């Protein structure tokens, strides 16, 4: 198949001197917005007690452990701004991301021991469960750096009970192991209750000599037999019990190494624990990348540094989708699927780090006279029409057949509406796309370049309607909402305006409410808001998008559950004809 993949058609255009000059302001806006996101991420990273204080206690911080464990340059944070409850601590107390350890991709979760000694706090349960989902979808190891003091007790009602609570992580660990996905637990510090279960539920347990894990800590042992309240006498007994358990905590290393044998190894230093993780990672299931690569890895021929000039921050301005994609893929080469059909959508095969990946995105601008064929209204890029939806159904189905992972690059305003659109079966074809995605059985990744709107956000690889979505990233131009704020205001208040006008009343109060709704939609769709609420897994700098694509492709091909031989693929042959 070398004739298919070694010299794929080149696409995209370099920026002219005039374009470079004209886009200077947009590049400045992007840089300022990215710096704002970076400051927000740094604030989360610095939450809790100073690192120096931890080090004085003989502990490394979560970030120091990560730095010593992962391969340099491979750390890609996920959900770093996630904090749906705006916790007073300034974080959810868990650091998660994709990384390479001993040459293999893994999902890493580290309790932030600077924040309440790594306690479970509001929002952490959802972030932890999301990490297990990523590991499950990509079939790569899940690594825990456990240093967890248990539940923040005043917040227990937010994360203890429920179908997707903190405890759901434990059954997901069992599920991962049953599917052949290993889970590691590198254990540091004191880990009672929920921390103890996070220690024990993984596949492999490696511990520091001063670590412990237990069903309950010394602080709750005395409270296991409540007496209806407290008085000085029973508090004196509590004081003595607390002193004893602080000196000799339950579940110490010698208990779970010498007696139970749960700990596979005990290490004298924290670095020793991390080195143990590295050693075991060397033996984890993984194909040699050369087995799946269709060509040698190559950088894009076009300059990815020009992306902040190409993607407008102004949502009303258009751009060339090909100029974006060509700056992200190997050699700026592609094999486009059905280019003359469904011009609202791009579908094609590209290479990422030598791996074959399917790419789907929204073309922008006016789509030409006579399209869509069922309507007198001209087609506008970003909106989905009949042919585009059919083309995506075909493409994702063939990618599934050929076991090719899919990357969606979304900048969508929605699916066409009105009686003509209904007659054209758009509602049914859109749902057919959801079905087609579900049957692929391959990992998907979503990049929301700018707009993720209405049902288009769902059907184009959105995490809400896509069981195969590994993760979703956005940019500083990202907006996610059911519709534009002004559209929502019209939908909500148009009839009210008519009623007030026909009654001879002043419409100014209604206009004020309309503008309030527009502002609310704007405020609740900003990139930082999308990251805090989990609409996306990370807001990524344009310069870093390629890194996430490489991680996705590498992880997707590391240990897939099924294979299609290159010479047995049909999609490249359909494209070539």
């Amino acid at each position: 198949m070398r004739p298919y993949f070694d010299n794929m058609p080149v696409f995209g255009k370099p920026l002219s001197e005039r374009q470079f000059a004209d886009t200077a302001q947009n590049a400045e806006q992007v840089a300022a917005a990215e710096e704002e996101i970076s400051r927000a991420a740094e604030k989360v990273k610095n939450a809790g007690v100073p690192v120096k204080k931890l080090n004085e206690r003989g502990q490394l911080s979560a970030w120091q452990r990560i730095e010593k464990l992962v391969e340099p340059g491979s750390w890609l944070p996920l959900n770093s701004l996630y904090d749906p409850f705006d916790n007073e601590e300034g974080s959810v107390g868990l650091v998660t991301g994709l990384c390479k350890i001993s040459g293999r991709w893994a999902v890493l979760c580290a309790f932030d021991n600077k924040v309440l000694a790594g306690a479970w706090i509001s929002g952490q349960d959802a972030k932890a469960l999301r990490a297990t989902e990523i590991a499950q979808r990509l079939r790569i190891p899940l690594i825990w750096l456990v240093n967890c003091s248990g539940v923040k007790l005043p917040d227990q009602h937010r994360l203890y009970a429920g179908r997707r609570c903190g405890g759901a992580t434990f059954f997901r660990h069992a599920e991962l192991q049953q599917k052949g996905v290993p889970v590691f637990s590198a254990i540091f510090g004191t880990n009672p209750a929920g921390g103890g279960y996070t220690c024990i539920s993984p596949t492999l347990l490696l511990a520091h000599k001063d670590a412990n894990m237990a069903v309950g800590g010394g602080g709750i042992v005395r409270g296991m037999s409540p007496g209806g309240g407290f008085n000085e006498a029973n508090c004196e007994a509590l004081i003595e019990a607390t002193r004893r358990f602080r000196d000799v905590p339950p579940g110490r290393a010698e208990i779970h190494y010498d007696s139970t044998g749960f700990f596979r190894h005990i290490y004298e230093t924290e670095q020793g624990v991390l080195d143990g993780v590295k050693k075991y990672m060397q033996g984890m299931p993984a194909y040699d990348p050369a087995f799946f690569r269709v060509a040698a890895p190559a950088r894009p021929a076009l300059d990815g540094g020009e992306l902040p000039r190409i993607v407008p921050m102004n949502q009303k301005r258009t751009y060339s989708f090909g100029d974006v994609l060509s700056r992200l893929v190997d050699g700026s080469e592609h094999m486009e699927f059905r280019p003359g059909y469904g011009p609202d959508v791009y579908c094609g095969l590209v290479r990422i780090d030598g791996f074959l990946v399917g790419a789907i995105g929204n073309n922008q601008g006016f789509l030409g006279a006579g399209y869509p064929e069922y309507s007198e209204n001209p087609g506008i890029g970003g909106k989905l029409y009949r042919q585009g939806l059919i083309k995506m159904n075909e493409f994702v189905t063939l990618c599934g057949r050929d076991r090719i992972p899919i990357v969606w690059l979304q900048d969508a305003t929605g699916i066409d509406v009105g009686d003509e659109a209904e007659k054209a079966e758009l509602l049914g074809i859109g749902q057919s796309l959801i079905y087609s995605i579900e049957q692929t059985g391959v990992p998907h990744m979503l990049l929301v370049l700018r707009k993720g709107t209405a049902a288009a956000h769902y059907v184009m690889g959105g995490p809400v309607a896509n069981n195969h979505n590994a993760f979703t990233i956005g940019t500083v131009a990202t907006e996610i909402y059911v519709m534009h704020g002004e559209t929502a205001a019209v939908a909500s208040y148009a009839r009210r305006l008519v009623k007030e006008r026909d009654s001879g009343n002043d419409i100014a109060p209604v206009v004020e409410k309309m503008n309030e709704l527009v502002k609310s939609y704007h405020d609740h769709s900003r990139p930082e808001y999308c990251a805090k609420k989990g609409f996306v897994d990370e807001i990524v700098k344009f310069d870093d998008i390629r890194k996430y694509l490489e991680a996705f492709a590498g992880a997707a091909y590391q240990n897939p559950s099924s294979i299609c031989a290159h010479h047995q693929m049909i999609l490249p042959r359909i494209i070539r004809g």
Side-chain angles (χ1 to χ4, degrees):
M1 298 292 283
R2 285 191 300 275
Y4 283 88
F5 303 127
D6 277 355
N7 294 291
M8 298 162 68
V10 175
F11 71 132
K13 297 179 181 179
L15 292 181
S16 66
E17 291 184 8
R18 174 66 180 272
Q19 288 173 314
F20 199 86
D22 289 346
T23 55
Q25 184 178 11
N26 194 78
E28 292 171 1
Q29 291 174 340
V30 168
E34 289 183 341
E35 178 59 30
E36 186 176 345
I37 293 293
S38 295
R39 285 196 298 268
E42 193 66 19
K43 185 177 180 181
V44 173
K45 186 174 180 179
N46 291 330
V49 302
V51 173
K52 182 180 179 181
K53 193 169 185 179
L54 278 184
N55 295 162
E56 289 171 351
R57 297 172 184 168
Q59 280 192 356
L60 297 175
S61 71
W63 286 103
Q64 288 174 322
R65 291 166 181 163
I66 290 170
E67 184 177 353
K68 291 177 180 293
L69 177 62
V70 308
E71 292 185 9
S74 73
W75 174 254
L76 297 172
L78 291 170
N79 293 292
S80 58
L81 296 181
Y82 184 72
D83 186 7
F85 297 102
D86 290 317
N87 291 334
E88 62 183 355
E89 294 82 7
S91 102
V92 299
L94 190 69
V95 182
T96 59
L98 283 168
C99 63
K100 267 189 174 180
I101 302 172
S102 301
R104 287 159 169 77
W105 288 104
V107 178
L108 190 147
C109 298
F111 284 94
D112 191 347
N113 51 336
K114 295 192 294 85
V115 180
L116 299 180
W120 285 14
I121 55 181
S122 299
Q124 186 185 111
D125 52 344
K127 184 170 181 176
L129 194 58
R130 183 76 190 100
T132 68
E133 290 172 343
I134 296 169
Q136 178 174 268
R137 180 55 270 175
L138 293 173
R139 289 179 52 83
I140 58 177
L142 175 63
I143 311 296
W144 282 91
L145 304 184
V146 187
N147 197 160
C148 175
S149 59
V151 176
K152 180 187 177 185
L153 296 177
D155 284 359
Q156 62 85 25
H157 58 287
R158 286 182 173 173
L159 47 83
Y160 168 69
R163 186 68 180 87
R164 293 177 63 84
C165 66
T169 304
F170 308 143
F171 88 75
R172 181 55 59 77
H173 286 168
E175 187 178 42
L176 286 171
Q177 292 176 88
Q178 290 162 19
K179 294 183 177 182
V181 178
V183 185
F184 288 19
S185 182
I187 305 167
F188 309 90
T190 301
N191 302 279
Y197 280 104
T198 309
C199 290
I200 193 65
S201 55
T203 320
L204 177 70
L205 280 55
L206 308 175
H208 182 255
K209 65 180 179 63
D210 295 331
N212 80 305
M213 65 177 187
V215 174
I220 68 170
V221 171
R222 202 45 204 179
M224 294 299 285
S225 301
F230 296 94
N231 54 45
E232 288 191 17
N234 59 29
C235 281
E236 288 295 338
L238 176 61
I239 290 169
E240 292 304 313
T242 302
R243 283 175 175 162
R244 179 164 58 89
F245 279 108
R246 184 175 59 188
D247 294 337
V248 188
R252 300 174 306 285
E254 60 265 31
I255 296 294
H256 289 309
Y257 184 71
D258 296 331
S259 296
T260 67
F262 294 159
F263 291 161
R264 186 75 62 89
H265 296 285
I266 293 291
Y267 299 89
E268 289 293 318
T269 65
E270 290 204 6
Q271 184 63 58
V273 181
L274 301 174
D275 289 342
V277 174
K278 293 178 184 179
K279 179 180 178 181
Y280 274 97
M281 275 293 290
Q282 292 173 4
M284 289 302 100
Y287 287 85
D288 187 308
F291 185 83
F292 284 111
R293 281 185 170 130
V294 297
R299 300 296 302 171
L302 294 173
D303 183 5
E306 294 176 344
L307 287 171
R309 297 176 177 274
I310 295 171
V311 180
M313 293 289 282
N314 183 343
Q315 299 282 350
K316 296 180 180 180
R317 293 186 59 188
T318 64
Y319 59 93
S320 165
F321 176 75
D323 284 345
V324 172
L325 185 61
S326 60
R327 285 166 170 78
L328 295 171
V329 302
D330 289 15
S332 300
E333 297 176 357
H334 73 151
M335 297 175 66
E336 186 172 0
F337 177 74
R338 300 192 71 180
Y341 184 81
D344 47 310
V345 171
Y346 170 91
C347 296
L349 295 178
V350 297
R351 301 189 314 271
I352 302 290
D353 199 30
F355 296 111
L356 196 63
V357 173
I360 304 173
N362 300 100
N363 287 319
Q364 303 295 314
F366 289 103
L367 301 176
Y371 188 80
E373 73 287 353
Y374 58 80
S375 175
E376 295 180 356
N377 297 318
I380 300 174
K383 188 176 288 188
L384 300 179
Y385 302 96
R386 178 184 173 87
Q387 288 185 16
L389 287 165
I390 290 174
K391 181 164 73 170
M392 287 189 287
N393 269 279
E394 294 174 330
F395 185 70
V396 300
T397 299
L398 291 166
C399 283
R401 187 265 178 208
D402 288 355
R403 318 315 296 153
I404 301 171
I406 298 172
V407 174
W408 301 78
L409 299 97
Q410 187 182 115
D411 190 352
T413 56
I415 298 176
D416 195 19
V417 298
D419 283 346
E420 295 302 320
E422 296 302 328
K423 291 178 183 178
E425 305 179 299
L426 268 60
L427 187 62
I429 302 173
Q431 178 56 38
S432 297
L433 180 53
I434 297 294
Y435 182 90
S436 296
I437 291 169
E438 189 64 19
Q439 64 80 41
T440 62
V442 297
H444 294 237
M445 169 189 163
L446 172 61
L447 163 60
V448 183
L449 273 171
R450 292 198 308 181
K451 297 179 290 295
T453 313
H457 178 55
Y458 288 179
V459 304
M460 293 195 68
V464 176
N466 182 341
N467 196 45
H468 298 309
N469 175 282
F471 57 88
T472 298
I473 61 175
T475 73
V476 290
T478 294
E479 296 180 350
I480 298 177
Y481 37 46
V482 70
M483 61 183 70
H484 190 275
E486 292 180 21
T487 307
V490 170
S492 300
Y493 290 103
R495 292 183 179 180
R496 180 72 177 274
L497 284 172
V498 173
K499 181 179 178 181
E500 296 299 326
R501 176 62 75 204
D502 290 348
S503 300
N505 298 328
D506 185 4
I507 64 171
V510 181
V511 173
E512 184 177 353
K513 289 183 178 297
M514 294 175 72
N515 286 323
E516 288 174 357
L517 184 59
V518 171
K519 185 178 186 304
S520 175
Y521 264 62
H522 178 273
D523 294 344
H524 294 150
S525 63
R526 297 301 87 208
E528 185 173 346
Y529 183 90
C530 291
K532 288 188 70 172
K533 297 299 181 181
F535 300 169
V536 297
D537 290 306
E538 192 75 8
I539 295 297
V540 174
K541 292 181 178 180
F542 280 99
D543 286 348
D544 291 336
I545 293 175
R546 165 81 184 191
K547 296 178 184 177
Y548 280 83
L549 292 173
E550 290 178 349
F552 169 73
Y557 280 107
Q558 180 167 294
N559 183 34
S561 59
S562 58
I563 297 169
C564 178
H566 295 164
H567 63 279
Q568 294 166 5
M569 290 179 174
I570 196 66
L571 182 50
R573 292 170 168 124
I574 290 174
I575 292 174
R576 178 175 286 192

